[in-house]
Tab-separated table of all heavy atoms in Angstrom:
chain	number	residue	atom	x	y	z
A	1263	LYS	N	-2.792	-0.691	-8.230
A	1263	LYS	CA	-3.546	0.489	-8.595
A	1263	LYS	C	-2.632	1.572	-9.277
A	1263	LYS	O	-3.145	2.279	-10.105
A	1263	LYS	CB	-4.060	1.033	-7.272
A	1263	LYS	CG	-5.349	1.801	-7.458
A	1263	LYS	CD	-5.936	2.027	-6.087
A	1263	LYS	CE	-4.860	2.551	-5.175
A	1263	LYS	NZ	-5.216	2.692	-3.841
A	1264	GLU	N	-1.395	1.630	-8.818
A	1264	GLU	CA	-0.472	2.562	-9.507
A	1264	GLU	C	-0.356	2.098	-10.982
A	1264	GLU	O	-0.308	2.958	-11.962
A	1264	GLU	CB	0.868	2.607	-8.811
A	1264	GLU	CG	0.787	3.477	-7.542
A	1264	GLU	CD	1.766	3.017	-6.547
A	1264	GLU	OE1	2.533	2.106	-6.660
A	1264	GLU	OE2	1.724	3.636	-5.436
A	1265	ALA	N	-0.238	0.834	-11.242
A	1265	ALA	CA	-0.191	0.351	-12.636
A	1265	ALA	C	-1.384	0.810	-13.382
A	1265	ALA	O	-1.288	1.282	-14.534
A	1265	ALA	CB	-0.068	-1.230	-12.696
A	1266	TYR	N	-2.501	0.661	-12.783
A	1266	TYR	CA	-3.765	1.030	-13.443
A	1266	TYR	C	-3.750	2.612	-13.699
A	1266	TYR	O	-4.026	3.042	-14.801
A	1266	TYR	CB	-4.960	0.676	-12.510
A	1266	TYR	CG	-6.252	1.373	-12.869
A	1266	TYR	CD1	-7.159	0.687	-13.726
A	1266	TYR	CD2	-6.690	2.633	-12.320
A	1266	TYR	CE1	-8.444	1.255	-14.031
A	1266	TYR	CE2	-7.929	3.034	-12.699
A	1266	TYR	CZ	-8.799	2.497	-13.539
A	1266	TYR	OH	-9.953	3.021	-13.804
A	1267	LEU	N	-3.379	3.412	-12.706
A	1267	LEU	CA	-3.398	4.849	-12.864
A	1267	LEU	C	-2.427	5.271	-13.972
A	1267	LEU	O	-2.689	6.332	-14.697
A	1267	LEU	CB	-2.976	5.525	-11.580
A	1267	LEU	CG	-4.010	5.415	-10.383
A	1267	LEU	CD1	-3.326	5.860	-9.076
A	1267	LEU	CD2	-5.279	6.189	-10.670
A	1268	LEU	N	-1.353	4.485	-14.102
A	1268	LEU	CA	-0.287	4.855	-15.102
A	1268	LEU	C	-0.539	4.251	-16.434
A	1268	LEU	O	0.312	4.319	-17.295
A	1268	LEU	CB	1.052	4.629	-14.485
A	1268	LEU	CG	1.361	5.447	-13.250
A	1268	LEU	CD1	2.669	4.773	-12.537
A	1268	LEU	CD2	1.661	6.899	-13.537
A	1269	GLY	N	-1.547	3.424	-16.524
A	1269	GLY	CA	-1.930	2.757	-17.760
A	1269	GLY	C	-0.991	1.600	-18.213
A	1269	GLY	O	-0.708	1.462	-19.363
A	1270	THR	N	-0.420	0.812	-17.174
A	1270	THR	CA	0.347	-0.295	-17.418
A	1270	THR	C	-0.385	-1.548	-17.021
A	1270	THR	O	-0.861	-1.638	-15.876
A	1270	THR	CB	1.685	-0.140	-16.673
A	1270	THR	OG1	2.367	1.097	-16.982
A	1270	THR	CG2	2.669	-1.310	-16.969
A	1271	PRO	N	-0.416	-2.593	-17.919
A	1271	PRO	CA	-1.126	-3.818	-17.500
A	1271	PRO	C	-0.428	-4.546	-16.434
A	1271	PRO	O	0.787	-4.523	-16.411
A	1271	PRO	CB	-1.227	-4.599	-18.760
A	1271	PRO	CG	-0.198	-4.028	-19.686
A	1271	PRO	CD	0.121	-2.585	-19.237
A	1272	CYS	N	-1.273	-5.251	-15.542
A	1272	CYS	CA	-0.654	-5.897	-14.422
A	1272	CYS	C	-1.099	-7.349	-14.246
A	1272	CYS	O	-2.252	-7.610	-14.574
A	1272	CYS	CB	-1.097	-4.983	-13.182
A	1272	CYS	SG	-0.582	-5.540	-11.531
A	1273	THR	N	-0.234	-8.204	-13.719
A	1273	THR	CA	-0.630	-9.483	-13.279
A	1273	THR	C	-0.446	-9.518	-11.801
A	1273	THR	O	0.640	-9.165	-11.254
A	1273	THR	CB	0.169	-10.617	-13.925
A	1273	THR	OG1	0.113	-10.492	-15.291
A	1273	THR	CG2	-0.224	-11.944	-13.470
A	1274	THR	N	-1.440	-9.995	-11.009
A	1274	THR	CA	-1.348	-10.027	-9.541
A	1274	THR	C	-1.291	-11.546	-9.075
A	1274	THR	O	-2.262	-12.296	-9.388
A	1274	THR	CB	-2.573	-9.302	-8.918
A	1274	THR	OG1	-2.578	-7.915	-9.384
A	1274	THR	CG2	-2.561	-9.405	-7.486
A	1275	LEU	N	-0.304	-11.796	-8.299
A	1275	LEU	CA	-0.066	-13.191	-7.938
A	1275	LEU	C	-0.780	-13.441	-6.613
A	1275	LEU	O	-0.155	-13.765	-5.605
A	1275	LEU	CB	1.478	-13.494	-7.847
A	1275	LEU	CG	2.209	-13.285	-9.158
A	1275	LEU	CD1	3.737	-13.737	-8.983
A	1275	LEU	CD2	1.625	-13.995	-10.382
A	1276	ARG	N	-2.084	-13.364	-6.629
A	1276	ARG	CA	-2.919	-13.628	-5.499
A	1276	ARG	C	-4.178	-14.226	-5.869
A	1276	ARG	O	-4.596	-14.069	-7.141
A	1276	ARG	CB	-3.148	-12.245	-4.680
A	1276	ARG	CG	-1.917	-11.842	-3.990
A	1276	ARG	CD	-2.153	-10.538	-3.151
A	1276	ARG	NE	-3.447	-10.656	-2.492
A	1276	ARG	CZ	-4.063	-9.539	-2.120
A	1276	ARG	NH1	-3.685	-8.299	-2.386
A	1276	ARG	NH2	-5.190	-9.648	-1.429
A	1277	THR	N	-4.945	-14.741	-4.948
A	1277	THR	CA	-6.252	-15.403	-5.289
A	1277	THR	C	-7.324	-14.309	-5.381
A	1277	THR	O	-8.428	-14.475	-5.955
A	1277	THR	CB	-6.651	-16.393	-4.251
A	1277	THR	OG1	-6.329	-15.856	-2.888
A	1277	THR	CG2	-5.875	-17.680	-4.407
A	1278	GLU	N	-7.106	-13.099	-4.735
A	1278	GLU	CA	-8.151	-12.074	-4.800
A	1278	GLU	C	-7.489	-10.733	-4.766
A	1278	GLU	O	-6.210	-10.606	-4.567
A	1278	GLU	CB	-9.102	-12.158	-3.572
A	1278	GLU	CG	-8.432	-11.964	-2.242
A	1278	GLU	CD	-7.572	-13.155	-1.694
A	1278	GLU	OE1	-8.180	-14.244	-1.641
A	1278	GLU	OE2	-6.492	-12.900	-1.300
A	1279	THR	N	-8.259	-9.662	-4.981
A	1279	THR	CA	-7.710	-8.291	-4.926
A	1279	THR	C	-8.639	-7.414	-4.185
A	1279	THR	O	-9.940	-7.659	-4.224
A	1279	THR	CB	-7.385	-7.728	-6.329
A	1279	THR	OG1	-6.965	-6.409	-6.155
A	1279	THR	CG2	-8.662	-7.743	-7.208
A	1280	GLU	N	-8.139	-6.438	-3.538
A	1280	GLU	CA	-9.009	-5.410	-2.864
A	1280	GLU	C	-9.437	-4.350	-3.823
A	1280	GLU	O	-10.150	-3.481	-3.515
A	1280	GLU	CB	-8.289	-4.799	-1.695
A	1280	GLU	CG	-7.877	-5.659	-0.459
A	1280	GLU	CD	-6.655	-6.536	-0.798
A	1280	GLU	OE1	-5.982	-6.263	-1.753
A	1280	GLU	OE2	-6.468	-7.425	-0.004
A	1281	TRP	N	-8.872	-4.401	-4.984
A	1281	TRP	CA	-9.119	-3.419	-6.042
A	1281	TRP	C	-9.838	-4.001	-7.266
A	1281	TRP	O	-9.212	-4.069	-8.343
A	1281	TRP	CB	-7.795	-2.635	-6.395
A	1281	TRP	CG	-7.103	-2.125	-5.168
A	1281	TRP	CD1	-5.946	-2.597	-4.630
A	1281	TRP	CD2	-7.529	-0.983	-4.475
A	1281	TRP	NE1	-5.714	-1.791	-3.442
A	1281	TRP	CE2	-6.519	-0.799	-3.359
A	1281	TRP	CE3	-8.484	-0.064	-4.535
A	1281	TRP	CZ2	-6.656	0.227	-2.483
A	1281	TRP	CZ3	-8.591	0.991	-3.606
A	1281	TRP	CH2	-7.616	1.092	-2.606
A	1282	PRO	N	-10.971	-4.498	-7.094
A	1282	PRO	CA	-11.573	-5.293	-8.243
A	1282	PRO	C	-11.883	-4.422	-9.448
A	1282	PRO	O	-12.068	-4.938	-10.578
A	1282	PRO	CB	-12.984	-5.801	-7.647
A	1282	PRO	CG	-13.141	-4.959	-6.394
A	1282	PRO	CD	-11.897	-4.468	-5.869
A	1283	GLU	N	-11.913	-3.113	-9.223
A	1283	GLU	CA	-12.143	-2.255	-10.413
A	1283	GLU	C	-11.073	-2.435	-11.464
A	1283	GLU	O	-11.282	-2.273	-12.608
A	1283	GLU	CB	-12.227	-0.754	-9.970
A	1283	GLU	CG	-13.316	-0.374	-8.982
A	1283	GLU	CD	-12.959	-0.607	-7.524
A	1283	GLU	OE1	-11.838	-1.196	-7.265
A	1283	GLU	OE2	-13.659	-0.169	-6.657
A	1284	THR	N	-9.858	-2.672	-11.055
A	1284	THR	CA	-8.720	-2.867	-11.950
A	1284	THR	C	-8.907	-4.079	-12.790
A	1284	THR	O	-8.572	-4.115	-13.971
A	1284	THR	CB	-7.394	-2.885	-11.239
A	1284	THR	OG1	-7.456	-4.064	-10.307
A	1284	THR	CG2	-7.119	-1.691	-10.411
A	1285	VAL	N	-9.509	-5.144	-12.203
A	1285	VAL	CA	-9.801	-6.438	-12.900
A	1285	VAL	C	-10.984	-6.220	-13.822
A	1285	VAL	O	-10.909	-6.595	-15.053
A	1285	VAL	CB	-10.016	-7.527	-11.902
A	1285	VAL	CG1	-10.402	-8.797	-12.690
A	1285	VAL	CG2	-8.757	-7.728	-11.050
A	1286	ALA	N	-11.967	-5.562	-13.299
A	1286	ALA	CA	-13.235	-5.395	-14.143
A	1286	ALA	C	-13.033	-4.588	-15.397
A	1286	ALA	O	-13.594	-4.909	-16.464
A	1286	ALA	CB	-14.305	-4.752	-13.260
A	1287	GLU	N	-12.118	-3.578	-15.316
A	1287	GLU	CA	-11.775	-2.832	-16.521
A	1287	GLU	C	-10.754	-3.505	-17.488
A	1287	GLU	O	-10.449	-2.953	-18.562
A	1287	GLU	CB	-11.240	-1.421	-16.081
A	1287	GLU	CG	-12.321	-0.459	-15.715
A	1287	GLU	CD	-11.717	1.000	-15.564
A	1287	GLU	OE1	-10.872	1.358	-16.364
A	1287	GLU	OE2	-12.114	1.640	-14.569
A	1288	GLY	N	-10.219	-4.630	-16.996
A	1288	GLY	CA	-9.286	-5.374	-17.915
A	1288	GLY	C	-7.815	-4.910	-17.765
A	1288	GLY	O	-6.942	-5.296	-18.523
A	1289	TRP	N	-7.406	-4.236	-16.697
A	1289	TRP	CA	-6.035	-3.742	-16.552
A	1289	TRP	C	-5.227	-4.753	-15.689
A	1289	TRP	O	-4.032	-4.697	-15.651
A	1289	TRP	CB	-6.010	-2.393	-16.028
A	1289	TRP	CG	-6.390	-1.300	-17.005
A	1289	TRP	CD1	-7.628	-0.761	-17.071
A	1289	TRP	CD2	-5.543	-0.763	-17.998
A	1289	TRP	NE1	-7.641	0.205	-18.095
A	1289	TRP	CE2	-6.307	0.157	-18.632
A	1289	TRP	CE3	-4.221	-0.916	-18.388
A	1289	TRP	CZ2	-5.844	0.927	-19.751
A	1289	TRP	CZ3	-3.705	-0.191	-19.396
A	1289	TRP	CH2	-4.508	0.726	-20.046
A	1290	ASN	N	-5.958	-5.564	-14.947
A	1290	ASN	CA	-5.299	-6.366	-13.963
A	1290	ASN	C	-5.841	-7.847	-14.091
A	1290	ASN	O	-7.015	-8.058	-14.273
A	1290	ASN	CB	-5.624	-5.853	-12.570
A	1290	ASN	CG	-4.814	-6.433	-11.463
A	1290	ASN	OD1	-3.947	-7.271	-11.618
A	1290	ASN	ND2	-5.168	-6.142	-10.302
A	1291	ARG	N	-4.934	-8.793	-14.043
A	1291	ARG	CA	-5.335	-10.190	-14.220
A	1291	ARG	C	-4.789	-10.990	-12.965
A	1291	ARG	O	-3.605	-10.792	-12.675
A	1291	ARG	CB	-4.733	-10.782	-15.458
A	1291	ARG	CG	-5.424	-11.943	-15.972
A	1291	ARG	CD	-4.825	-12.441	-17.358
A	1291	ARG	NE	-3.436	-12.872	-17.099
A	1291	ARG	CZ	-3.169	-14.142	-16.722
A	1291	ARG	NH1	-4.065	-15.021	-16.509
A	1291	ARG	NH2	-1.878	-14.403	-16.604
A	1292	LEU	N	-5.687	-11.694	-12.336
A	1292	LEU	CA	-5.132	-12.440	-11.185
A	1292	LEU	C	-4.641	-13.773	-11.691
A	1292	LEU	O	-5.166	-14.474	-12.621
A	1292	LEU	CB	-6.352	-12.756	-10.209
A	1292	LEU	CG	-7.023	-11.489	-9.648
A	1292	LEU	CD1	-8.119	-12.037	-8.583
A	1292	LEU	CD2	-6.049	-10.613	-8.847
A	1293	ASP	N	-3.454	-14.188	-11.168
A	1293	ASP	CA	-2.883	-15.492	-11.468
A	1293	ASP	C	-2.636	-16.215	-10.114
A	1293	ASP	O	-1.517	-16.313	-9.672
A	1293	ASP	CB	-1.525	-15.307	-12.296
A	1293	ASP	CG	-0.972	-16.670	-12.739
A	1293	ASP	OD1	-1.597	-17.735	-12.512
A	1293	ASP	OD2	0.109	-16.610	-13.377
A	1294	PRO	N	-3.700	-16.781	-9.524
A	1294	PRO	CA	-3.659	-17.187	-8.154
A	1294	PRO	C	-2.724	-18.396	-8.050
A	1294	PRO	O	-2.073	-18.531	-6.913
A	1294	PRO	CB	-5.121	-17.672	-7.846
A	1294	PRO	CG	-5.810	-17.687	-9.175
A	1294	PRO	CD	-5.047	-16.774	-10.119
A	1295	ASP	N	-2.625	-19.292	-9.060
A	1295	ASP	CA	-1.710	-20.440	-8.857
A	1295	ASP	C	-0.355	-20.317	-9.517
A	1295	ASP	O	0.396	-21.221	-9.523
A	1295	ASP	CB	-2.420	-21.748	-9.515
A	1295	ASP	CG	-3.798	-21.904	-9.014
A	1295	ASP	OD1	-3.985	-21.730	-7.805
A	1295	ASP	OD2	-4.778	-22.231	-9.794
A	1296	VAL	N	-0.057	-19.058	-9.886
A	1296	VAL	CA	1.227	-18.750	-10.489
A	1296	VAL	C	1.408	-19.716	-11.729
A	1296	VAL	O	2.567	-20.278	-11.893
A	1296	VAL	CB	2.353	-18.901	-9.412
A	1296	VAL	CG1	3.586	-18.097	-10.027
A	1296	VAL	CG2	1.983	-18.447	-8.143
A	1297	SER	N	0.378	-19.966	-12.381
A	1297	SER	CA	0.361	-21.077	-13.401
A	1297	SER	C	0.528	-20.531	-14.875
A	1297	SER	O	0.675	-21.449	-15.774
A	1297	SER	CB	-0.916	-21.849	-13.333
A	1297	SER	OG	-2.031	-20.976	-13.442
A	1298	SER	N	0.571	-19.222	-15.024
A	1298	SER	CA	0.625	-18.828	-16.459
A	1298	SER	C	1.699	-17.651	-16.668
A	1298	SER	O	1.299	-16.620	-17.193
A	1298	SER	CB	-0.753	-18.370	-17.002
A	1298	SER	OG	-1.303	-17.390	-16.126
A	1299	PRO	N	2.925	-18.010	-16.279
A	1299	PRO	CA	4.056	-16.962	-16.471
A	1299	PRO	C	4.112	-16.544	-17.855
A	1299	PRO	O	4.660	-15.450	-18.179
A	1299	PRO	CB	5.225	-17.649	-15.942
A	1299	PRO	CG	4.981	-19.104	-15.898
A	1299	PRO	CD	3.447	-19.166	-15.699
A	1300	GLU	N	3.707	-17.375	-18.855
A	1300	GLU	CA	3.849	-16.935	-20.333
A	1300	GLU	C	3.049	-15.741	-20.649
A	1300	GLU	O	3.219	-15.167	-21.634
A	1300	GLU	CB	3.615	-18.247	-21.161
A	1300	GLU	CG	2.249	-18.699	-21.271
A	1300	GLU	CD	1.733	-19.510	-20.060
A	1300	GLU	OE1	2.582	-19.713	-19.149
A	1300	GLU	OE2	0.513	-19.759	-19.993
A	1301	ARG	N	2.095	-15.479	-19.728
A	1301	ARG	CA	1.221	-14.272	-19.989
A	1301	ARG	C	1.637	-13.088	-19.251
A	1301	ARG	O	1.077	-12.026	-19.510
A	1301	ARG	CB	-0.223	-14.691	-19.677
A	1301	ARG	CG	-0.910	-15.621	-20.614
A	1301	ARG	CD	-2.291	-15.854	-20.382
A	1301	ARG	NE	-3.079	-14.614	-20.525
A	1301	ARG	CZ	-4.401	-14.508	-20.311
A	1301	ARG	NH1	-5.053	-15.527	-19.855
A	1301	ARG	NH2	-4.999	-13.368	-20.426
A	1302	TRP	N	2.685	-13.185	-18.355
A	1302	TRP	CA	2.947	-12.059	-17.544
A	1302	TRP	C	3.492	-10.818	-18.320
A	1302	TRP	O	3.234	-9.682	-18.041
A	1302	TRP	CB	4.010	-12.412	-16.550
A	1302	TRP	CG	3.476	-13.417	-15.507
A	1302	TRP	CD1	2.217	-13.825	-15.386
A	1302	TRP	CD2	4.236	-14.087	-14.462
A	1302	TRP	NE1	2.235	-14.793	-14.343
A	1302	TRP	CE2	3.435	-14.855	-13.793
A	1302	TRP	CE3	5.620	-14.069	-14.136
A	1302	TRP	CZ2	3.870	-15.637	-12.746
A	1302	TRP	CZ3	6.080	-14.853	-13.032
A	1302	TRP	CH2	5.165	-15.678	-12.289
A	1303	ALA	N	4.321	-11.144	-19.379
A	1303	ALA	CA	4.827	-10.033	-20.137
A	1303	ALA	C	3.863	-9.266	-21.019
A	1303	ALA	O	3.964	-8.195	-21.459
A	1303	ALA	CB	6.054	-10.520	-21.047
A	1304	HIS	N	2.803	-10.008	-21.391
A	1304	HIS	CA	1.737	-9.479	-22.282
A	1304	HIS	C	0.319	-9.856	-21.726
A	1304	HIS	O	-0.414	-10.634	-22.323
A	1304	HIS	CB	1.862	-10.056	-23.691
A	1304	HIS	CG	3.227	-9.899	-24.272
A	1304	HIS	ND1	3.746	-8.660	-24.682
A	1304	HIS	CD2	4.176	-10.820	-24.348
A	1304	HIS	CE1	4.882	-8.801	-25.063
A	1304	HIS	NE2	5.277	-10.083	-24.916
A	1305	PRO	N	-0.011	-9.239	-20.560
A	1305	PRO	CA	-1.362	-9.579	-20.053
A	1305	PRO	C	-2.479	-8.996	-20.781
A	1305	PRO	O	-3.698	-9.325	-20.683
A	1305	PRO	CB	-1.319	-8.992	-18.657
A	1305	PRO	CG	-0.155	-8.049	-18.567
A	1305	PRO	CD	0.767	-8.295	-19.773
A	1306	GLY	N	-2.178	-8.101	-21.698
A	1306	GLY	CA	-3.315	-7.436	-22.530
A	1306	GLY	C	-3.773	-6.200	-21.889
A	1306	GLY	O	-3.805	-6.065	-20.718
A	1307	THR	N	-4.185	-5.292	-22.755
A	1307	THR	CA	-4.928	-4.149	-22.305
A	1307	THR	C	-6.274	-4.029	-22.837
A	1307	THR	O	-6.572	-4.519	-23.865
A	1307	THR	CB	-4.049	-2.924	-22.580
A	1307	THR	OG1	-3.756	-2.956	-24.032
A	1307	THR	CG2	-2.858	-2.684	-21.830
A	1308	PRO	N	-7.219	-3.271	-22.050
A	1308	PRO	CA	-8.601	-3.138	-22.685
A	1308	PRO	C	-8.531	-2.357	-23.902
A	1308	PRO	O	-7.529	-1.591	-24.148
A	1308	PRO	CB	-9.316	-2.402	-21.581
A	1308	PRO	CG	-8.318	-1.941	-20.557
A	1308	PRO	CD	-7.017	-2.660	-20.785
A	1309	GLU	N	-9.538	-2.446	-24.815
A	1309	GLU	CA	-9.601	-1.810	-26.070
A	1309	GLU	C	-9.425	-0.358	-25.959
A	1309	GLU	O	-8.721	0.271	-26.814
A	1309	GLU	CB	-10.905	-2.239	-26.871
A	1309	GLU	CG	-10.663	-3.160	-27.953
A	1309	GLU	CD	-11.935	-3.700	-28.494
A	1309	GLU	OE1	-12.953	-2.858	-28.613
A	1309	GLU	OE2	-12.121	-4.961	-28.646
A	1310	SER	N	-10.043	0.201	-25.030
A	1310	SER	CA	-10.081	1.665	-24.889
A	1310	SER	C	-8.598	2.243	-24.683
A	1310	SER	O	-8.239	3.300	-25.169
A	1310	SER	CB	-10.940	2.189	-23.763
A	1310	SER	OG	-10.195	1.953	-22.547
A	1311	GLY	N	-7.767	1.397	-23.907
A	1311	GLY	CA	-6.418	1.818	-23.762
A	1311	GLY	C	-6.259	2.943	-22.723
A	1311	GLY	O	-5.179	3.300	-22.371
A	1312	ILE	N	-7.376	3.277	-22.174
A	1312	ILE	CA	-7.305	4.417	-21.155
A	1312	ILE	C	-8.123	4.030	-19.879
A	1312	ILE	O	-9.255	3.569	-19.993
A	1312	ILE	CB	-7.995	5.714	-21.697
A	1312	ILE	CG1	-7.264	6.139	-22.963
A	1312	ILE	CG2	-7.976	6.774	-20.646
A	1312	ILE	CD1	-8.026	7.185	-23.747
A	1313	PRO	N	-7.522	4.006	-18.656
A	1313	PRO	CA	-8.162	3.757	-17.517
A	1313	PRO	C	-9.282	4.729	-17.244
A	1313	PRO	O	-9.224	5.895	-17.607
A	1313	PRO	CB	-7.099	3.881	-16.372
A	1313	PRO	CG	-5.808	3.958	-17.063
A	1313	PRO	CD	-6.016	4.385	-18.523
A	1314	ARG	N	-10.445	4.139	-16.754
A	1314	ARG	CA	-11.685	4.994	-16.642
A	1314	ARG	C	-11.724	5.861	-15.342
A	1314	ARG	O	-12.800	6.405	-15.029
A	1314	ARG	CB	-12.851	4.056	-16.711
A	1314	ARG	CG	-13.149	3.772	-18.167
A	1314	ARG	CD	-14.667	3.294	-18.334
A	1314	ARG	NE	-14.558	1.988	-18.981
A	1314	ARG	CZ	-15.120	0.875	-18.369
A	1314	ARG	NH1	-15.687	0.866	-17.212
A	1314	ARG	NH2	-15.029	-0.332	-19.060
Side-chain angles (χ1 to χ4, degrees):
K1263 209 171 41 187
E1264 280 148 4
Y1266 169 89
L1267 292 168
L1268 297 165
T1270 303
C1272 179
T1273 302
T1274 298
L1275 304 184
R1276 286 180 45 201
T1277 43
E1278 65 281 307
T1279 176
E1280 295 79 11
W1281 304 106
E1283 299 88 350
T1284 59
V1285 175
E1287 278 192 42
W1289 287 96
N1290 190 7
R1291 202 176 64 83
L1292 301 182
D1293 186 0
D1295 305 321
V1296 203
S1297 55
S1298 54
E1300 70 285 353
R1301 291 189 57 187
W1302 295 353
H1304 305 287
T1307 44
E1309 254 169 45
S1310 76
I1312 302 167
R1314 277 197 237 121

